[in-house]
Amino acid sequence: MPGFVFSEKPIRLVRGDGPYLYDDAENEYVDAGASYACVPLGHRHPGVRAAIDDQLDRLTYVQGSYPVAARTALYDLLADVAPGDLDYVWLCNSGTEANEAAIKFARHATGRSEVVAAIRGFHGRTMGALAATWSQEYKQGFEPLVGGVSFVPYDDTAALTDAVTDETAAVILEPIQGEGGVNPASPEYLQAARDLATDVGAALILDEVQCGLGRTGRMWACEESGVVPDVLTSAKGLANGLPIGATVVREWIAENPGSHGGTFSGGPVVCAAAAETLRTIRDEELPAHAASVGQHLRDRLETDLGDVIREVRGRGLLVGVEVKTGATAAARDLALDQRVLVIPTGRTVLRYLPPLILSTDDADRLADATVAVADRLTL
Ligand SMILES: *Cc1c(COP(=O)(O)O)cnc(C)c1O
């Protein structure tokens, strides 16, 4: 099929509204993950649309070397909501670029080149971020990648202690692994990673591309542990559906970042959308909402699916249901029969990443739909 490099699904989505998507026959779907966490405020959010319109009216693009109000406002807001003293921002267009910059900055600031990453971690698909990504599935046929990366079992402090040395430029981790199957790290592990990085003078990079922005019940997932990284990366939902990535760093990294740049770094329109998204998440207290609706969803899935599933994992509205097998078939049935869109990871995890504005009634709809396909999960 010319023109199609990647697989497509047999549902033609034409319109979105809040947590719902509609196909060309006006069937309604709950967008419980198909947005890849990219629309935390839901589709067609009025405030974000107004911010985009307003910016389009004035200026769509200007080269990054001139200050622009929309970009400056986003820098300030990101520094304000980022944990601790993470005050310096680099903007780009995606999660993989944000991690690519994180690794470059860490190498330059430390003068070292080795990176310690986690088994089952996912950081993106460009050569550097891909090198720090675990799964062979993403790397097959693309080697040689960037060298110097070693992998350790996730949430295993002893293994991390052995791997981090005075040759280490960076330790890169997701506070909760998303693609790897919704695996939260313990607060003690993140604290150990913080201490080890500090001891050897390496940068601790926390990749919050999937778990950040209020989804886990706090603005950033690392806040649960109290750990402040040297570099935090964000992307996916940051501009509520427009392409953006952000690398937020501490002063010692910002002082010596090397030469890095990008033509579309901090374009005014995406910056306006991102600032409105961040402000809305903060001012409408969506992290707290995500925590309570997410707890309700996890409780219902645990209660109703009981013996059928192995485990319900996650925080807030980043939820993984570990099943014995059949996650892919169940996700297809959820989409086609129940009109609920989720993303499986591997053969055994159903993943729910709905917009943070999800109501309790919609959470019940997700739980009911999952129960309706439960016979697919018992194989
Ligand atoms: C999706 C994802 C990325 C890559 O983001 P892209 O925008 O697809 O490049 C990186 N890290 C994590 C944790 C992700 O979930």
Side-chain angles (χ1 to χ4, degrees):
M1 262 209 293
F4 295 104
V5 179
F6 305 110
S7 63
E8 293 206 334
K9 296 190 168 53
I11 298 173
R12 291 176 199 282
L13 298 168
V14 293
R15 190 166 68 79
D17 197 1
Y20 311 116
L21 286 164
Y22 299 86
D23 67 15
D24 53 2
E26 275 297 307
N27 293 306
E28 181 181 280
Y29 298 77
V30 184
D31 187 6
S35 62
Y36 272 111
C38 286
V39 286
L41 306 181
H43 296 275
R44 237 161 48 111
H45 184 269
V48 175
R49 289 177 66 198
I52 292 169
D53 274 352
D54 183 53
Q55 186 59 47
L56 279 172
D57 256 358
R58 284 179 291 131
L59 185 63
T60 303
Y61 176 76
V62 68
Q63 74 188 68
S65 47
Y66 298 102
V68 173
R71 186 186 312 122
T72 309
L74 180 59
Y75 286 160
D76 290 347
L77 200 52
L78 270 169
D80 186 44
V81 301
D85 50 357
L86 286 160
D87 287 339
Y88 301 85
V89 181
W90 157 255
L91 294 172
C92 54
N93 313 288
S94 65
T96 196
E97 276 178 87
N99 287 324
E100 205 73 31
I103 294 167
K104 284 178 76 178
F105 294 162
R107 278 185 165 198
H108 206 273
T110 61
R112 308 171 186 171
S113 62
E114 292 188 4
V115 172
V116 178
I119 289 177
R120 278 192 274 283
F122 181 87
H123 302 292
R125 298 168 192 258
T126 52
M127 288 298 187
L130 185 59
T133 290
W134 165 251
S135 174
Q136 270 308 313
E137 183 196 334
Y138 303 116
K139 302 191 206 180
Q140 208 95 55
F142 299 131
E143 287 100 333
L145 304 172
V146 174
V149 180
S150 57
F151 290 92
V152 291
Y154 186 65
D155 207 20
D156 178 338
T157 299
L160 191 63
T161 307
D162 286 345
V164 174
T165 70
D166 56 13
E167 303 285 301
T168 306
V171 175
I172 183 167
L173 297 168
E174 295 157 87
I176 302 180
Q177 291 184 328
E179 300 304 304
V182 188
N183 310 309
S186 67
E188 296 74 24
Y189 179 68
L190 293 177
Q191 189 59 57
R194 173 66 282 173
D195 294 343
L196 286 165
T198 304
D199 287 350
V200 301
L204 176 63
I205 302 171
L206 291 182
D207 176 348
E208 296 234 6
V209 168
Q210 186 160 156
C211 62
L213 297 171
R215 177 159 296 283
T216 65
R218 304 174 196 253
M219 185 58 94
W220 307 105
C222 65
E223 288 172 20
E224 183 188 347
S225 64
V227 165
V228 178
D230 300 293
V231 182
L232 179 142
T233 56
S234 179
K236 289 206 161 88
L238 179 54
N240 208 50
L242 294 188
I244 189 168
T247 307
V248 191
V249 308
R250 281 184 158 169
E251 192 170 7
W252 73 270
I253 305 269
E255 272 171 355
N256 185 14
S259 170
H260 187 63
T263 302
F264 281 116
S265 171
V269 178
V270 286
C271 284
E276 185 60 26
T277 303
L278 275 178
R279 241 183 258 120
T280 306
I281 292 172
R282 182 189 62 188
D283 297 348
E284 297 187 0
E285 296 177 13
L286 292 179
H289 178 78
S292 75
V293 177
Q295 184 69 56
H296 178 78
L297 176 61
R298 293 200 306 281
D299 287 348
R300 281 243 17 223
L301 290 167
E302 257 163 16
T303 310
D304 294 2
L305 291 171
D307 309 334
V308 178
I309 58 170
R310 287 212 160 107
E311 193 183 13
V312 179
R313 291 193 293 267
R315 301 275 188 280
L317 285 172
L318 173 51
V319 179
V321 177
E322 171 99 40
V323 300
K324 286 158 196 161
T325 188
T328 313
R332 190 193 54 225
D333 289 354
L334 276 170
L336 297 178
D337 303 344
Q338 304 295 317
R339 300 198 174 122
V340 162
L341 307 180
V342 302
I343 310 175
T345 71
R347 285 180 305 111
T348 59
V349 181
L350 279 172
R351 183 173 37 157
Y352 301 75
L353 305 157
L356 307 185
I357 53 158
L358 197 81
S359 68
T360 307
D361 282 352
D362 282 327
D364 283 326
R365 206 164 141 185
L366 300 187
D368 291 342
T370 312
V371 170
V373 302
D375 59 330
R376 287 303 177 110
L377 303 172
T378 55
L379 301 169

